[in-house]
């Protein structure tokens, strides 16, 4: 694992073929390897995640050989949750990250039971973990999983349908912000980063887990073969949807490099920006603090 610090110098098939004239009166943005009008990307990404929602957990396990669970565990260890925390997990509809945060906080509370005081109980009651996702289908997956885990009545867990580029939360209201495997799907990454900075309190931490860029040439060749030949085929076999998984693979390649993304986080106002590569850069965890 490599840890680096950034400085200032750092269910439905998709309408993939759009006429070139559609781009003439609109700014274009990437949708995988294609260029589409900005106003179309959100809808097209929404179609992807509506299509994959029911098989999302299974496909994550198959595509990463289960490693995504360890990556999310690492994300939570860097977040260091605490009782009384106000946290926002964006693009986290399935609840994977939020459940880990709640379990960590509950574990801390249980260990402190013998020395508990009225203040400790009050802190536990004040804990609030908000899951925000633009896709209602993904949120439904998370809510059903919460029921299975016995967390449906947990008052600290909130589900909010919302856009990462225009969050409904107040300025300076959150102690932490996480986004796992979601920021590459927004239309304007810089807007999502600006919103993350806005909603965090002074001293709040931003953490992003994202599929990234492999640096070792030989490993990169193997990873490219696996990405473009195996993952779409598995998507077609398991979920009956090759196109959505083809997009997901292409969107990784269009995402900025680790250094470039770190510089974007710096530009958003964050300090102490750094990133940690996992599995040779297959994924990276970026972090920053709001001072």
């Amino acid at each position: 694992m490599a840890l680096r610090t950034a400085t200032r110098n750092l269910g439905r098939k998709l309408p993939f073929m759009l006429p070139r004239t559609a781009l003439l009166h609109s700014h274009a943005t990437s949708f995988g390897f294609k260029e589409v009008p900005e106003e179309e990307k959100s809808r097209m990404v929404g179609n992807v995640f509506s299509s994959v929602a029911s098989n999302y957990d299974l496909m994550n396990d198959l595509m990463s050989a289960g490693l995504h669970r360890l990556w999310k565990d690492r994300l939570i260890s860097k977040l260091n949750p605490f009782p009384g925390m106000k946290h926002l997990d964006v693009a986290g509809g399935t609840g994977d990250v939020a459940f880990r945060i709640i379990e960590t906080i509950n574990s801390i509370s249980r260990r402190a039971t013998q020395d508990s005081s009225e203040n400790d109980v009050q802190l536990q009651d004040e804990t609030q973990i908000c899951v925000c996702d633009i896709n209602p289908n993904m949120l439904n997956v998370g809510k059903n999983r919460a029921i299975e885990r016995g967390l449906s009545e947990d008052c600290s867990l909130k589900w909010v349908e919302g856009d990462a580029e225009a969050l409904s939360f107040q300025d300076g209201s959150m102690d932490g912000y996480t986004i796992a495997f979601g920021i590459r799907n927004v239309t304007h990454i810089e807007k999502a980063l600006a919103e993350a900075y806005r909603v965090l309190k002074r001293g709040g931490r931003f953490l992003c887990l994202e599929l990234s860029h492999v640096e070792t040439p030989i490993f990169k060749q193997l990873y490219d073969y696996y990405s473009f030949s195996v993952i779409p085929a598995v998507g077609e076999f398991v979920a009956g949807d090759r196109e959505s998984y083809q997009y997901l693979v292409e969107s990784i390649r269009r995402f900025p490099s680790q250094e470039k993304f770190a510089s974007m986080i710096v530009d958003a106002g964050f300090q102490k920006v750094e990133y940690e590569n996992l599995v040779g850069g297959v994924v990276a965890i970026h972090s920053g603090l709001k001072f």
Side-chain angles (χ1 to χ4, degrees):
M1 295 187 295
L3 184 64
R4 304 189 180 178
T5 300
T7 67
R8 266 294 194 188
N9 294 323
L10 289 176
R12 284 177 286 176
K13 303 298 183 184
L14 303 172
F16 286 109
M17 301 304 294
L18 289 175
R20 188 173 297 274
T21 54
L23 303 178
L24 292 179
H25 302 293
S26 172
H27 293 293
T29 189
S30 65
F31 180 79
F33 288 160
K34 303 168 182 64
E35 296 295 313
V36 300
E38 285 186 345
E39 61 270 19
E40 288 294 309
K41 179 172 180 175
S42 180
R43 178 183 62 80
M44 295 171 75
V45 170
N47 288 347
V48 168
F49 284 95
S50 293
S51 176
V52 305
S54 61
N55 294 290
Y56 191 74
D57 291 330
L58 174 61
M59 284 300 298
N60 275 347
D61 280 331
L62 292 174
M63 290 188 297
S64 72
L67 288 174
H68 74 99
R69 299 175 185 273
L70 299 179
W71 300 335
K72 290 166 184 171
D73 288 344
R74 178 60 178 165
L75 179 74
I76 301 309
S77 71
K78 293 174 77 71
L79 176 64
N80 195 24
F82 54 88
M85 183 180 203
K86 302 292 189 297
H87 184 81
L88 175 61
D89 182 47
V90 175
T94 61
D96 261 4
V97 172
F99 298 150
R100 282 171 167 80
I101 294 172
I102 289 176
E103 288 165 3
T104 300
I105 292 174
N106 288 342
S107 177
I108 294 171
S109 298
R110 284 193 296 270
R111 289 198 299 268
T113 298
Q114 292 181 341
D115 301 319
S116 63
S117 65
E118 186 175 336
N119 288 337
D120 294 326
V121 174
Q122 184 177 356
L123 279 177
Q124 182 69 14
D125 291 341
E126 291 176 355
T127 300
Q128 187 174 91
I129 311 301
C130 297
V131 180
C132 179
D133 201 298
I134 198 170
N135 192 298
N137 294 293
M138 297 292 280
L139 286 170
N140 286 336
V141 170
K143 291 174 183 177
N144 289 332
R145 291 183 66 197
I147 294 172
E148 294 170 0
R149 290 168 175 256
L151 294 174
S152 60
E153 302 300 323
D154 193 324
C155 297
S156 65
L157 183 60
K158 308 293 183 183
W159 304 90
V160 179
E161 185 176 338
D163 187 345
E165 296 183 28
L167 297 171
S168 60
F169 304 92
Q170 294 181 352
D171 296 2
S173 57
M174 297 291 166
D175 296 297
Y177 174 112
T178 50
I179 182 167
F181 307 125
I183 203 163
R184 76 180 188 279
N185 296 308
V186 305
T187 303
H188 305 97
I189 293 175
E190 67 281 1
K191 288 185 179 180
L193 291 173
E195 281 292 271
Y197 186 86
R198 179 184 66 79
V199 300
L200 280 170
K201 300 176 182 178
R202 297 291 176 185
R205 191 166 195 193
F206 166 87
L207 282 164
C208 174
L209 172 65
E210 189 54 84
L211 292 156
S212 200
H213 296 268
V214 174
E215 297 176 337
T216 307
I218 294 178
F219 186 27
K220 183 179 185 303
Q221 291 177 6
L222 293 172
Y223 180 53
D224 282 347
Y225 173 79
Y226 175 75
S227 297
F228 289 102
S229 299
V230 177
I231 289 178
V234 172
E236 183 173 20
F237 179 74
V238 175
D241 187 353
R242 185 183 187 92
E243 288 89 348
S244 291
Y245 289 94
Q246 183 72 31
Y247 157 74
L248 293 174
V249 170
E250 293 177 0
S251 69
I252 298 167
R253 300 310 188 274
R254 293 299 297 264
F255 190 68
S257 68
Q258 288 90 319
E259 294 288 340
K260 173 61 178 176
F261 184 51
S263 71
M264 295 174 72
I265 298 171
V266 172
D267 289 341
F270 289 100
Q271 298 184 41
K272 292 189 177 298
V273 174
E274 60 185 26
Y275 67 88
E276 180 181 18
N277 278 334
L278 306 176
V279 197
V282 171
V283 295
I285 298 177
H286 284 77
S287 64
L289 292 172
K290 177 178 177 178
F291 286 167

